[in-house]
Amino acid sequence: MATTRPMERRDFLKLGAVAGGGLFLLIYAPDSAAGGEAALSPNAFLRIDPSGAVTITVARSDMGQGVRTALPMIVAEELDADWDRVHITQADAHPDRYGRMMTVGSTSVRNGAWLPLRNAGAAAREMLVAAAAAQWGVSASTLRTERGRVRHDASGRSAGYGELADAAAALPIPAAPTLKDPARFTLIGTSPLQLDARDKVTGRAAYGIDARPPGLLFATVVHPPVFGSRVKSFDATKARAVTGVRSVVQISTGVAVVAEHTWAAFQGARALAITYENDGFAMSSADIFRSLAALAESPGVEAKRVGDVQAAMAGASARVEATYEAPYLAHATMEPMNCTADVRPDRVELWAPTQNPQGAQQLAARLAGVPLDRTVVHVQLMGCGWGRRSSTDFVQDAVETSKAVGAPVQVVWTREEDMQHDFYRPAAHVRLTGGLSADGTLVAATVRVAAQAISGGRNGVDSNAVASVADTPYAIPNYLVEYCRATNEVPVGYWRSVGPSQNTFIFESFIDELAAKAGARPGRLQARAAGQRAAHAPGAEPRRRAIGLGLVAPGRPRARRGPGRGQGRARGRGGRGVARARAHPRAQGDPRGRLRADHPPAHRRGTDVRLGRRRPHGGAVRGDHDRERARAAGQLQQLPHAAHGRDARGRRPRDPEPCRAGGRG
Amino acid sequence: MPAYTLRINGASRQVDVDGETRLLWVLRDILNLTGTKFGCGIAQCGACTVHLDGAAVRACTTRVAQVGTREVTTIEGLAPGGDHPLQTAWIAEDVPQCGYCQSGQLMAAAALLAKTPKPSDGEIDTAMAGNICRCGTYDRIRRAIHRAAGEG
């Protein structure tokens, strides 16, 4: 990790006043997530109380990725804080105080916090040391720090950070504090107890759904079951008759039932009779896959072109063609969508499980018609996120409902609404062709992806759709990737990594198909294809380069192989995960078999701080419980076998699961 | 409207709701015991697991009228001070990620250990099969149950 990149060394710190004494640092940092623009944006607070307690304000959202522990670790490492005295507070949304608060893409540490927070900890430490040096009349260079104390070994004197905090606060802030050599890290690289672990095992942790402001009413919203539809009219007679229901109101997203408790709201919602506009929409998954397949018949927009594919393919001694399809996927977070809002004429207060605090704040202010600085958004813990909570549709439900009834309201979606009104990972139809030379080398490949776009993208290419294929780790000398943009009414959005979650499986499976055609072991073909990217590793063996690319695990025993057993490795964009899975034929005559992971795949957490232990990153692939349970959580699709491979002759293991785009189940 | 007197975490609580109301929402919305979570509403995910006289049940499908005189135990009442051997083991094994399902996981595990003090892997898997964790903490859950059983 470079520690002297000029851009990032322009971080600076500012002293703030704090009641009750102590050292209080407002940490400014350029927001590299905003594209490295010159604007400086503060992104955290560090406070050392006279008692010695260290409080770090976390301005990113925690949905299980551990950012509430990882970010404080960075500060505490450089500060030499006593980890047992480190506390956190979660930052409320603020337009600019913390920089970009959007918590997506495993970027909290990489893009936002690493150097700024190290600098903050190091600056505070230098100030504490300087304060001690002045008090004791010794040179700062004779002092050392450990576990929240400054020590002078020659005299045996020591002082806790709390005792020095007031004096330190009067000192100038070092512009460029000395950072630790990473070799001396004692906290980073370990897995200390999560700061909120005890709350999570005692039921005290406050998720979005646990907000309980005084006078709270409970609501749910029925959204139009057909994508693109709107409420035309509704009859709430029966709903209002449900014991505990207080009111039924139409909001722009649907019909809200407000009650004394959530159960009554759910019962009221079931009793509603609603008619919708444009409810003649009828489209099935099969229709969508047919339209994607039709789209993929014609060339798309070029996402990547290397060499002369046509010529290389014509000269290849063997060709392999394959089509893969991946279904729409819901996020299915454990905690269904919810938000709590208290909309008053002159102010708004939200308790939101959101990955997008600033978006929630802006939306709430606009809907309620109050200024941004009178719109308070408390960021709650989240029972999973995966990108779903970067959208603010559920915030809108709560704000509009609270505004309509003039009371604090918690809107909780039923699980059914949560599954039916997601921003799904786009369904995809992916066609691949590969050309092999006589010696079994991959000399040419084409990939054509037909899918809806999540973002506009450059030159009409949605980078999500072609991720992990446009930026393949393989150096294929003649390579063409095309994107065919599909449009339909199904809402799509960021689902975990989006593209890599399916394209890695698809492309690596295609490599396996090529290897079978070439009569080679997949790993051998992988290594050879990787080895073609020789520029930065001249002379190295292909296998060694493949190890460097994360395609082959060094020093790992080879998995036992045999009927029904195997091991695959793949590398997606970012190189953050390696998964190993094992296929178990369920019974003779069952073509579907069963896939189970030997152990949770070694998805490294997005927070690169906690390298001491590898664990699934926010819930990658399940462990080894059975498939039926996975299906119950809508999670099965995360297993790679759920992308439907189809070979050149059009065979495929099974048809996609039907998913109704319209109609209430 | 009938009033129900419930025994919850050792205390007597009166609630004035329709008898069809599910226990989950009585706990969460009326009694502010929010440690018990809502996940699916149809007894498929286990996030709402509580004990009725020590047996694990799904609060989201348990009618308040069904509870009767049985003692309701929630995560808040599992152990005073939050130091049940399972809670200690959960921390020692660093089990939670997002943590949302863990109240239910702990209550299911506590019911298991009460009946089967030294469960095998198979017994753990069977007893915990109704509790979903979308973070995939199953391996650590199993280790934590073994750890608690070893110390119990």
Side-chain angles (χ1 to χ4, degrees), chain A residues 63-64 193-194 200-201 207 209-210 212 218 243 262 331-332 386 415 600 610 615-616 618-619 629 635 638, chain B residues 1 21-22 25 28-29 32 34 37 39 82 87 91 94 96-100 129 131-132 134-135 138-139:
Chain A
M63 61 213 86
L193 178 63
Q194 295 173 67
K200 286 175 176 173
V201 302
Y207 298 83
I209 201 170
D210 300 328
R212 289 290 178 272
F218 299 87
T243 304
T262 309
H331 295 79
W386 300 314
R415 173 58 69 190
R610 288 168 61 95
R615 54 166 60 189
R629 285 180 47 194
Q635 184 177 358
Q638 290 184 19
Chain B
M1 200 158 52
T21 307
R22 302 307 191 252
W25 303 107
R28 288 187 50 82
D29 296 354
N32 277 347
T34 54
K37 301 303 189 218
Q87 288 168 314
I91 289 173
D94 198 12
Q97 253 177 256
C98 88
Y100 191 79
N131 289 75
I132 288 171
R134 292 278 279 127
C135 299
Y138 302 112
D139 285 3

Side-chain angles (χ1 to χ4, degrees), chain A residues 114-479:
Chain A
W114 177 245
L115 277 173
L117 294 187
R118 287 184 66 193
N119 278 329
R125 178 189 163 278
E126 285 190 5
M127 293 164 76
L128 293 159
V129 167
Q135 281 185 13
W136 298 335
V138 300
S139 161
S141 64
T142 63
L143 301 177
R144 65 183 178 87
T145 51
E146 65 171 2
R147 289 183 60 87
R149 296 191 78 79
V150 180
R151 295 184 180 279
H152 184 243
D153 289 334
S155 65
R157 274 179 294 195
S158 80
Y161 284 177
E163 302 164 54
L164 297 164
D166 275 338
L171 297 175
I173 300 167
T178 305
L179 299 180
K180 273 188 189 175
D181 178 347
R184 290 182 46 233
F185 285 165
T186 56
L187 187 59
I188 291 173
T190 67
S191 279
L193 178 63
Q194 295 173 67
L195 292 173
D196 50 10
R198 181 158 292 281
D199 286 348
K200 286 175 176 173
V201 302
T202 54
R204 285 198 303 262
Y207 298 83
I209 201 170
D210 300 328
R212 289 290 178 272
L216 184 65
L217 294 176
F218 299 87
T220 196
V221 174
V222 179
H223 305 89
V226 173
F227 299 132
S229 172
R230 298 174 63 86
V231 173
K232 186 193 290 177
S233 64
F234 66 96
D235 180 351
T237 310
K238 288 181 181 168
R240 290 200 173 93
V242 170
T243 304
V245 168
R246 292 279 191 90
S247 56
V248 181
V249 293
Q250 184 171 349
I251 59 175
S252 61
T253 54
V255 179
V257 179
V258 184
E260 291 162 12
H261 50 82
T262 309
W263 172 254
F266 283 179
Q267 296 312 107
R270 288 166 66 101
L272 281 172
I274 309 176
T275 58
Y276 299 95
E277 296 171 1
N278 308 319
D279 62 353
F281 176 89
M283 191 193 292
S284 67
S285 290
D287 294 334
I288 290 172
F289 278 110
R290 265 193 295 276
S291 70
L292 293 176
L295 200 59
E297 290 293 328
S298 307
V301 185
E302 271 185 25
K304 185 182 181 74
R305 176 186 279 278
V306 178
D308 186 339
V309 169
Q310 207 171 3
M313 207 66 89
S317 62
R319 283 178 60 167
V320 176
E321 296 180 8
T323 300
Y324 288 77
E325 290 178 343
Y328 287 104
L329 292 187
H331 295 79
T333 58
M334 280 302 294
E335 179 189 13
M337 293 302 107
N338 69 88
C339 185
T340 304
D342 184 5
V343 178
R344 310 267 175 105
D346 61 342
R347 57 175 283 277
V348 175
E349 193 167 7
L350 289 187
W351 292 261
T354 177
Q355 296 176 248
N356 183 7
Q358 292 155 327
Q361 186 182 35
Q362 284 158 14
L363 177 68
R366 181 167 60 77
L367 292 173
V370 303
L372 214 52
D373 62 6
R374 298 194 64 78
T375 304
V376 179
V377 179
H378 307 296
V379 177
Q380 304 285 107
L381 270 181
M382 280 166 268
C384 318
W386 300 314
R388 176 63 183 89
R389 289 180 157 106
S390 61
S391 296
T392 51
D393 49 332
F394 51 93
V395 174
Q396 179 165 5
D397 282 0
V399 171
E400 288 197 21
T401 304
S402 174
K403 187 179 180 185
V405 301
V409 171
Q410 177 168 94
V411 170
V412 175
W413 291 14
T414 62
R415 173 58 69 190
E416 292 86 339
E417 288 279 338
D418 182 275
M419 297 293 278
Q420 196 173 4
H421 295 281
D422 203 334
F423 295 86
Y424 305 91
R425 186 184 75 176
H429 176 102
V430 184
R431 291 187 182 190
L432 307 101
T433 59
L436 294 163
S437 65
D439 69 351
T441 300
L442 180 59
V443 293
T446 67
V447 183
R448 187 177 290 169
V449 180
Q452 285 165 266
I454 299 173
S455 60
R458 259 185 310 173
N459 305 322
V461 175
D462 179 24
S463 61
N464 303 290
V466 296
S468 283
V469 286
D471 52 355
T472 176
Y474 300 116
I476 304 159
N478 303 283
Y479 187 46

Side-chain angles (χ1 to χ4, degrees), chain A residues 518-560:
Chain A
R521 278 231 294 269
R524 180 71 191 150
L525 190 77
Q526 278 184 328
R528 196 179 294 166
Q532 289 167 1
R533 194 154 93 171
H536 51 267
E541 293 171 42
R543 180 179 151 76
R544 194 163 296 282
R545 292 193 210 103
I547 288 170
L549 289 168
L551 293 164
V552 177
R556 283 284 189 89
R558 192 177 291 276
R560 277 188 297 147

